[in-house]
Amino acid sequence: GLKDKVNGILDKLKGKHLTKDYVENVLREVRLALLEADVHYKVAGKFIESVKTNIIGSKILESLTPYQQIIDLVYKEFVLLMGEEAILLEPPKDTLHIWEIVGLQGSGKTTQSAKLAKFYKDKGYKVLLASLDVYRPAAIEQLRILANNNELDFFEDKEKKPVKLAKKARQYSEKNSYDLLILDTAGRLHIDKEMMKEVENVKAAVKANEIILVVDSMVGQDAANIAKEFNEKLNITGSILTKFDSDTRGGAALSVKYISQAPILFIGIGEKIKDIEVFYPDRMAQRILN
Amino acid sequence: RNIFKGKGKKIFEEIEKVLIEADLGAKTVIELLEEIKKENQVFKSYAELKSILKDKLKNILNGAEANFDLNEKSIVLIYGVNGVGKTTTIAKLAKYLSDAGKVVALVAGDTYRAAAKEQLDVWAKRLNVKIYMQQHGADPGAVIFDGITAFKNNKKLDILIIDTGGRLHTNENLIKQFQKIVNVIKKVWGKMPNESLMILDGTTGQNALSQVDIFSKVIKPTGFIMTKLDGTARGGILIQLYEKHRIPIKFLGTGEKFTDLEQFRIEPFIDRIF
Ligand SMILES: Nc1nc2c(ncn2[C@@H]2O[C@H](COP(=O)(O)OP(=O)(O)OP(=O)(O)O)[C@@H](O)[C@H]2O)c(=O)[nH]1
Ligand SMILES: Nc1nc2c(ncn2[C@@H]2O[C@H](COP(=O)(O)OP(=O)(O)OP(=O)(O)O)[C@@H](O)[C@H]2O)c(=O)[nH]1
Ligand SMILES: [Mg+2]
Ligand SMILES: [Mg+2]
């Protein structure tokens, strides 16, 4: 991985006088490794620029262990970018909080919605799950089955319009003193004006507290486009990277974080209800850089 | 006159950005640009360099187009990682084949995921095609065995399309299960599926390479279908994939309706990359 590559370069530099050119070469290799890990072109560029600035500022060229210091700076910059510590959403239990789950088709929204419901139910929250996906065949059935299999409350209504359905789910949640309402939405393209307007309307109609972007961690350069559009239209407050049980390096995570500035809250690590983990930035640093 | 300094360098950087953002892969892009430098190709503008690269990419993808003709009673196996669009693509293929006069039937081979067979059943009803399915949790191999047996005995049916559950290539148990499914098919059909189509998500980055490597150990795809190219992703990973595996690309998925299926054509695909 990147660690070996950089160590390889630095081994070649051992004993040589560390010049600006050598640092450029090291950073070029780091940038290449980020790109190969699916970090977006612009994000990788910005990252390298920040590291370069810090190297110049830190007099690394005069130090006795320049090699290790460059690695440390790359790692530090990484953790800074990913968020310095794990963020666990823990809304107070006495008022209704509404989370709107959005993202591209097939990214894992429905599965993650159920996982979130279980996660917070186990923490003592009264959680209601609702599906606003009136489009995909058997989408509502999918969430209903996940809810029933895991003893999670599921909102049922014949309403066919997503915005009206969301309002009804909200009313029901208030009436029945739920702490948390999780709204699963249909997969949509960030360039589909009507569908993007729909989730904006849902957000406004129910005054959603969190807009959580669900992204497949195997996504490549497109992660940046997705994050940019969803963030501009909805103001993302958090993201979940799914399918991290694959061998993807997960550079999409860095792109999503950099562009949305919103914390990565969880990662999905499997298809089962328990397969969700709070996101730890330093663990991700090791994964992308290694 | 060194075209690789100054203006030339700017043009190189600009096109490097375009190609990397299209998911060609950084190493592949660097190699392509190095080739151009070595070949001493002359270009005076971005447009000229673009045209040189388009020719290179067309050369690489030479042979990547392939037909999807099933002129005898046939089985089509559909597989890939989670959420790529397998079930929806099956609906599109069923429509495509029905329009071509074939009588199609489906097998709901995903017996695990919530509402998977219900999802395929909705498509079967919309397309008015027969569907073989069993209870949730049934062994997928058994469901597929029964589906193929019934298909063989039904003279009216021309094509059987088999849906399978999404599975990560990194999940050893699910890959073993997939191997079992392939063995069952070989046994009851007497040979490999007529078409084994691996479905790839158009937004996938470099991980597609690992997916194909591992799935190919179980069965060599007769073709790929890449979905979700109606978004902003450009699917450039197909170039590395074709270079390495020489597996043709049969179709592209361009939307969520059963008509959103196009034949893969090299030129428009490459044009879209830029
Ligand atoms: N291995 C793995 N599979 C996952 C994970 N999250 C979801 N999946 C699977 O990915 C596929 C798609 O998940 P869904 O929850 O249906 O995705 P979605 O975003 O709701 O899809 P649409 O509603 O069609 O946009 C399913 O097969 C899930 O079981 C994960 O973290 N790991
Ligand atoms: N925009 C777009 N969406 C697509 C395309 N193909 C499939 N989808 C959507 O992607 C999502 C997942 O499709 P599925 O057919 O359920 O995917 P799958 O591979 O069968 O998923 P699993 O069985 O859970 O692994 C659905 O919302 C589809 O409507 C496409 O070409 N373009
Ligand atoms: Mg869904
Ligand atoms: Mg499916």
Side-chain angles (χ1 to χ4, degrees), chain A residues 212-243:
Chain A
I212 299 175
L213 178 66
V214 174
V215 178
D216 182 331
S217 62
M218 297 182 279
V219 168
Q221 297 288 304
D222 208 36
N225 303 327
I226 297 167
K228 179 163 180 287
E229 280 307 311
F230 272 91
N231 194 39
E232 281 181 8
K233 297 282 184 316
L234 295 168
N235 228 317
I236 302 296
T237 62
S239 67
I240 299 178
L241 275 289
T242 64
K243 308 177 201 172

Side-chain angles (χ1 to χ4, degrees), chain A residues 67-77:
Chain A
Y67 324 108
Q68 194 50 50
Q69 289 198 38
I70 293 181
I71 301 268
D72 285 349
L73 267 178
V74 170
Y75 185 87
K76 275 204 190 72
E77 190 66 27

Side-chain angles (χ1 to χ4, degrees), chain B residues 148-191:
Chain B
I148 294 177
T149 302
F151 171 68
K152 277 166 51 176
N153 295 330
N154 188 330
K155 300 238 183 288
K156 293 207 198 78
L157 300 174
D158 301 316
I159 316 281
L160 186 70
I161 311 179
I162 302 171
D163 193 9
T164 57
R167 71 201 63 235
L168 288 186
H169 46 303
T170 45
N171 187 319
E172 281 193 36
N173 286 336
L174 289 181
I175 293 295
K176 280 205 187 98
Q177 184 196 73
F178 185 58
Q179 180 68 66
K180 283 212 187 90
I181 286 173
V182 171
N183 293 341
V184 161
I185 295 176
K186 270 212 305 233
K187 196 151 177 280
V188 67
W189 188 236
K191 57 180 176 173

Side-chain angles (χ1 to χ4, degrees), chain A residues 106 108-111 133 136 139 142 184-187:
Chain A
K109 298 174 292 301
T110 303
T111 313
D133 188 350
R136 169 176 151 154
Q142 183 185 2
D184 180 21
T185 67

Side-chain angles (χ1 to χ4, degrees), chain A residues 132-187:
Chain A
L132 305 182
D133 188 350
V134 299
Y135 308 99
R136 169 176 151 154
I140 298 179
E141 175 71 355
Q142 183 185 2
L143 190 59
R144 177 187 296 118
I145 290 175
L146 288 174
N148 292 344
N149 288 351
N150 295 286
E151 295 171 41
L152 305 165
D153 293 353
F154 182 69
F155 179 68
E156 298 278 7
D157 197 284
K158 297 234 182 320
E159 176 57 58
K160 297 272 184 299
K161 298 233 169 75
V163 176
K164 288 207 180 108
L165 192 48
K167 283 201 190 129
K168 287 188 170 181
R170 171 169 190 132
Q171 286 164 5
Y172 183 87
S173 303
E174 282 166 340
K175 202 150 157 277
N176 292 280
S177 311
Y178 279 95
D179 304 315
L180 185 55
L181 169 63
I182 296 175
L183 299 172
D184 180 21
T185 67

Side-chain angles (χ1 to χ4, degrees), chain B residues 184-242:
Chain B
V184 161
I185 295 176
K186 270 212 305 233
K187 196 151 177 280
V188 67
W189 188 236
K191 57 180 176 173
M192 289 298 232
N194 303 69
E195 289 275 359
S196 307
L197 301 175
M198 184 170 178
I199 313 301
L200 300 169
D201 187 321
T203 63
T204 305
Q206 303 304 301
N207 194 253
L209 297 165
S210 174
Q211 292 177 23
V212 175
D213 281 348
I214 295 179
F215 272 92
S216 295
K217 294 204 169 81
V218 176
I219 184 169
K220 178 151 198 269
T222 56
F224 291 125
I225 298 183
M226 179 169 265
T227 62
K228 308 182 193 171
L229 288 177
D230 45 317
T232 48
R234 287 170 264 158
I237 196 68
L238 284 181
I239 288 161
Q240 276 191 70
L241 280 173
Y242 189 71

